Amino acid sequence: MSRKIHWDFWTGITLLSIGVFTLFLIYPLFSLFVSAFQDPDTGAWSMQNFAHFFDRKYYYQSMINSFSVTTCVTILAVIIGTIVAYFMTLYKIKFKNVVEICIVISLLSPPFIGAYSWILIGGRNGYITRFLAEYGIDFPSIYGFAGILLVLTLKLYPFIYLYVAGAMKNIDSALIEAAESLGCSGIRKVITIIVPLITPTILAGALMVFMNAMADFGTPMLIGEGYNVMPVMIYSEFINEVGDQANFAAAMAALMVLITSTIFMLQKYIVNRKSFTMSSLRPMQVGELHGWKKAAVHLFIYLLVALSLIPQLVVIYTSFLKTSGSIFVDGYSLDSYRTIFENLGTAISNTYLFSTTAMVVIIFLGMTIAYLTTRKKSWLTDLIDTLSMFPYIIPGSVLGITLLLAFNEEPLLLSGTAAIIIISLIIRRLPYTLRSSSAILYQLSPSMEEASISLGASPLKTFFKITAVMMLPGVMSGAILSWITAINELSSSIILFTGATKTMSVAIYTEVIRASYGTAAALSTILTLTTITAMVIFFKVSGRHDVTL
């Protein structure tokens, strides 16, 4: 006898969740792969697009370049982030709270602003380039592989820092004391005890760095100059669409999905084999550095943070400079701000409107889906939990292409509308809020909900009056961080936008391409100050003084 479905609010949420993921994630991915295997001329099934990619070095070299720069960025970020986390966690560092806030700000600011800033600093007409040229010294080129490596490493090492710092706080000092009592000290103690304990965490952080570096579009587009990587190649082929290149771009996008999926699954396999739980009954004591070691560590950390913050400081400074056309001239002025409010005001309002709308939907879906997957487990909720992982491994530019391919014709024509940009933001940011909501729910005892129901409240009323209220502070703090990344989104927006739906990040990119550096700096300053303001609100809402991942 078949089991009768019990229709209630949670059944509706289950169906809604499956519908959202199916319509806006699975169906677009299916459209992407269908397009990738279609002959551009006849529409027949064919491997021609993939053969074309691997036949020409111009194309497959972009994959090699992507792996080269991404691997180097990941290695450097792991080394730098782990060293900073080690000293910041185990030793007294002056102005530690300020340093941590600066590190987080550098993480949450968009990397393409970093690329643009380094062009102003070390480009062909940059400040340092001109200064050194007066003394006959050539400043190393900021363009190509080296520039991409510099920008992305300074942008992404905070991921490793935040992950590793959180893990090191959970190491029990008894393990360290036992090692020291057996004669293990100094660098040997770090290599044989601390590093193995935090290896799973380092791998998780390295995956975040790798995925972000692999998917980044703005940095290599601005300063790559011939050093083509996959996201730039996909974008170029897709927007040109000369001779039906959309199918070829879809094939490259499909390859990126396969690459990132494979790396993600490999990382999950390794972490699952090496994972364990640490219970810090006695956290490691914070020590004191002395003499030259103290000076060297402080100098290293302060210089690193200063380099990380240079992009924000440069754009704020240059936004107040006078401009003549696209050239900065002597003197200060608010002309750049007048220009953007007169001509690009829509981009500013669009950014806040789209991101806030997306966050409202994300908070609702994140809380309700998290409740389903933690409190009402079934094969359907397990399916939803699995589907929610997919956006982790889809680069923004690829997501933009999948949505355009899926919703570019009737009956669901969304291309060119604000809705498609909001959907992309929801799909990309929902997993983060979903994971933080689930973590909060695991910390809340079900007994409080049971007590409410035993007193006559319905399960639905209990959720909204009890559970949701207890979840909200943690969910809101996570949503604020997601909102910050949403306002800085470029990879998918650059493919989905039209003149009426342009956002600030897209406007900054287009202004830099046009060499309108004054207006680009003014827009970047607004975006940077918005990020800092949102960070202050995050610290107030969460009651924390740091950000843990």
Side-chain angles (χ1 to χ4, degrees), residues 94-271:
K94 291 185 178 180
F95 310 112
K96 178 181 176 179
N97 287 342
V98 175
V99 169
E100 282 193 329
I101 291 171
C102 291
I103 289 173
V104 172
I105 289 172
S106 66
L107 168 67
L108 294 176
S109 63
F112 65 88
I113 288 183
Y116 154 60
S117 298
W118 282 104
I119 290 173
L120 294 178
I121 297 167
R124 295 183 182 86
N125 197 38
Y127 300 123
I128 295 178
T129 307
R130 292 200 310 269
F131 175 77
L132 294 178
E134 294 178 2
Y135 299 92
I137 303 172
D138 291 329
F139 187 71
S141 175
I142 200 65
Y143 302 99
F145 175 86
I148 298 172
L149 186 65
L150 171 69
V151 172
L152 290 181
T153 300
L154 290 176
K155 154 76 178 175
L156 297 174
Y157 82 86
F159 271 123
I160 304 296
Y161 168 77
L162 292 173
Y163 273 92
V164 173
M168 292 189 72
K169 291 173 184 176
N170 291 325
I171 297 178
D172 198 315
S173 62
L175 294 170
I176 307 301
E177 291 167 4
E180 291 174 343
S181 69
L182 294 172
C184 182
S185 59
I187 190 68
R188 187 181 172 193
K189 175 182 68 179
V190 174
I191 294 173
T192 59
I193 306 296
I194 295 177
V195 170
L197 286 173
I198 62 175
T199 294
T201 304
I202 290 176
L203 288 174
L207 177 68
M208 292 293 290
V209 172
F210 190 94
M211 292 296 190
N212 276 271
M214 176 69 78
D216 186 68
F217 162 80
T219 301
M221 189 68 177
L222 290 177
I223 61 175
E225 284 210 351
Y227 191 84
N228 287 325
V229 294
M230 285 286 279
V232 173
M233 187 68 72
I234 291 169
Y235 171 79
S236 300
E237 292 296 318
F238 189 78
I239 63 165
N240 287 336
E241 292 195 33
V242 177
D244 293 321
Q245 290 299 304
N247 293 91
F248 181 55
M252 288 194 289
L255 283 172
M256 275 208 77
V257 172
L258 291 175
I259 291 167
T260 53
S261 301
T262 303
I263 292 167
F264 179 78
M265 297 305 296
L266 180 64
Q267 186 266 355
K268 292 288 286 184
Y269 173 76
I270 295 172
V271 168

Side-chain angles (χ1 to χ4, degrees), residues 9-10 12-21 361-378 380-389 426-427 430-431 433-435 437-439 441-442 463 471:
F9 174 78
W10 294 111
I13 290 295
T14 302
L15 295 176
L16 173 65
S17 305
I18 292 174
V20 167
F21 283 117
V361 177
I362 285 172
I363 290 170
F364 175 77
L365 289 178
M367 293 175 72
T368 52
I369 295 175
Y371 190 85
L372 281 176
T373 56
T374 55
R375 293 285 202 263
K376 297 183 176 292
K377 287 185 175 293
S378 68
L380 273 177
T381 58
D382 288 341
L383 175 63
I384 293 169
D385 195 45
T386 302
L387 290 176
S388 70
M389 297 293 290
I426 292 171
I427 294 297
L430 177 59
T433 301
L434 190 54
R435 286 287 172 266
S437 300
S438 298
L441 271 171
Y442 280 121
F463 172 76
M471 290 174 65

Side-chain angles (χ1 to χ4, degrees), residues 265-541:
M265 297 305 296
L266 180 64
Q267 186 266 355
K268 292 288 286 184
Y269 173 76
I270 295 172
V271 168
N272 287 338
R273 291 197 63 183
K274 292 181 173 291
S275 64
F276 49 83
T277 302
M278 288 189 289
S279 178
S280 179
L281 299 176
R282 288 192 301 138
M284 291 190 292
Q285 297 298 310
V286 177
E288 184 81 55
L289 290 167
H290 301 284
W292 68 269
K293 291 182 180 178
K294 181 177 182 179
V297 168
H298 278 78
L299 181 63
F300 169 72
I301 291 174
Y302 291 162
L303 281 176
L304 180 65
V305 172
L307 276 175
S308 304
L309 283 181
I310 277 179
Q312 287 75 27
L313 299 176
V314 167
V315 296
I316 291 172
Y317 170 72
T318 53
S319 70
F320 294 103
L321 294 178
K322 280 186 178 181
T323 57
S324 176
S326 62
I327 302 171
F328 291 114
V329 295
D330 292 337
Y332 299 93
S333 170
L334 293 174
D335 289 344
S336 295
Y337 287 94
R338 294 191 190 96
T339 301
I340 63 169
F341 284 114
E342 289 173 1
N343 302 327
L344 296 169
T346 303
I348 298 171
S349 59
N350 282 346
T351 300
Y352 298 126
L353 177 61
F354 298 166
S355 301
T356 304
T357 303
M359 281 307 107
V360 171
V361 177
I362 285 172
I363 290 170
F364 175 77
L365 289 178
M367 293 175 72
T368 52
I369 295 175
Y371 190 85
L372 281 176
T373 56
T374 55
R375 293 285 202 263
K376 297 183 176 292
K377 287 185 175 293
S378 68
W379 70 270
L380 273 177
T381 58
D382 288 341
L383 175 63
I384 293 169
D385 195 45
T386 302
L387 290 176
S388 70
M389 297 293 290
F390 275 86
Y392 276 117
I393 58 178
I394 302 177
S397 55
V398 173
L399 179 63
I401 290 174
T402 63
L403 290 174
L404 272 187
L405 290 173
F407 304 114
N408 201 31
E409 58 185 26
E410 298 291 352
L412 202 55
L413 179 60
L414 296 178
S415 60
T417 67
I420 198 168
I421 294 181
I422 294 171
I423 288 167
S424 73
L425 293 176
I426 292 171
I427 294 297
R428 291 205 75 196
R429 306 305 166 193
L430 177 59
Y432 299 94
T433 301
L434 190 54
R435 286 287 172 266
S436 64
S437 300
S438 298
I440 294 164
L441 271 171
Y442 280 121
Q443 297 171 6
L444 299 177
S445 173
S447 61
M448 287 179 282
E449 298 166 41
E450 293 166 1
S452 173
I453 293 171
S454 69
L455 292 172
S458 66
L460 181 59
K461 186 175 181 181
T462 296
F463 172 76
F464 283 106
K465 293 287 187 180
I466 306 295
T467 311
V469 171
M470 291 188 294
M471 290 174 65
L472 198 57
V475 172
M476 283 301 298
S477 61
I480 291 169
L481 293 180
S482 295
W483 186 82
I484 292 171
T485 58
I487 64 173
N488 292 321
E489 171 63 32
L490 175 66
S491 299
S492 59
S493 300
I494 195 69
I495 290 174
L496 298 172
F497 87 99
T498 62
T501 59
K502 182 182 289 188
T503 60
M504 269 198 284
S505 57
V506 173
I508 293 168
Y509 170 77
T510 53
E511 291 299 294
V512 172
I513 294 297
R514 292 170 49 200
S516 298
Y517 295 130
T519 51
L523 284 167
S524 299
T525 299
I526 292 173
L527 207 51
T528 299
L529 293 179
T530 301
T531 299
I532 294 171
T533 303
M535 280 302 305
V536 172
I537 295 171
F538 165 80
F539 290 128
K540 291 290 184 183
V541 170

